Amino acid sequence: LMVVLHGRARYFEGVLGGGREFGRGAVLGESSFLTNQPAMYSVVALRRTSLACLPKLVVRSVAARYPKCLAHIGRTISRKMLH
């Protein structure tokens, strides 16, 4: 799981072209985290971008202690699916 700390990037599904732009606070890799499947999209930085990479073990520990964390991840996936 990754969180954008600063910068801008764009994700693409399938062949490069189209996609959506995102920036600070965006969460990446949530679908892969929940399903244990490979990433469904590629990400390209549009300018210098920093990410916080959160290992699965850390995220699972946080989610066990703070269940609302998983609800937030679910909402993030839902919003991406609607766009």
Side-chain angles (χ1 to χ4, degrees):
L1 207 58
M2 293 175 274
V3 178
V4 178
L5 299 176
H6 69 82
R8 299 289 304 163
R10 180 178 289 271
Y11 73 86
F12 302 91
E13 294 183 59
V15 179
L16 293 180
R20 286 206 172 272
E21 197 172 310
F22 57 89
R24 189 173 82 177
V27 177
L28 307 171
E30 65 282 351
S31 295
S32 296
F33 173 79
L34 292 173
T35 64
N36 286 320
Q37 296 295 314
M40 299 183 333
Y41 50 87
S42 299
V43 176
V44 176
L46 299 175
R47 62 178 189 228
R48 180 169 275 172
T49 301
S50 294
L51 304 172
C53 298
L54 307 170
K56 282 186 179 185
L57 184 60
V58 170
V59 175
R60 287 186 176 141
S61 295
V62 169
R65 190 165 179 177
Y66 304 100
K68 288 184 180 179
C69 174
L70 286 181
H72 176 72
I73 292 171
R75 283 191 300 276
T76 301
I77 291 170
S78 296
R79 278 194 299 271
K80 284 185 178 179
M81 289 175 67
L82 292 173
H83 293 291

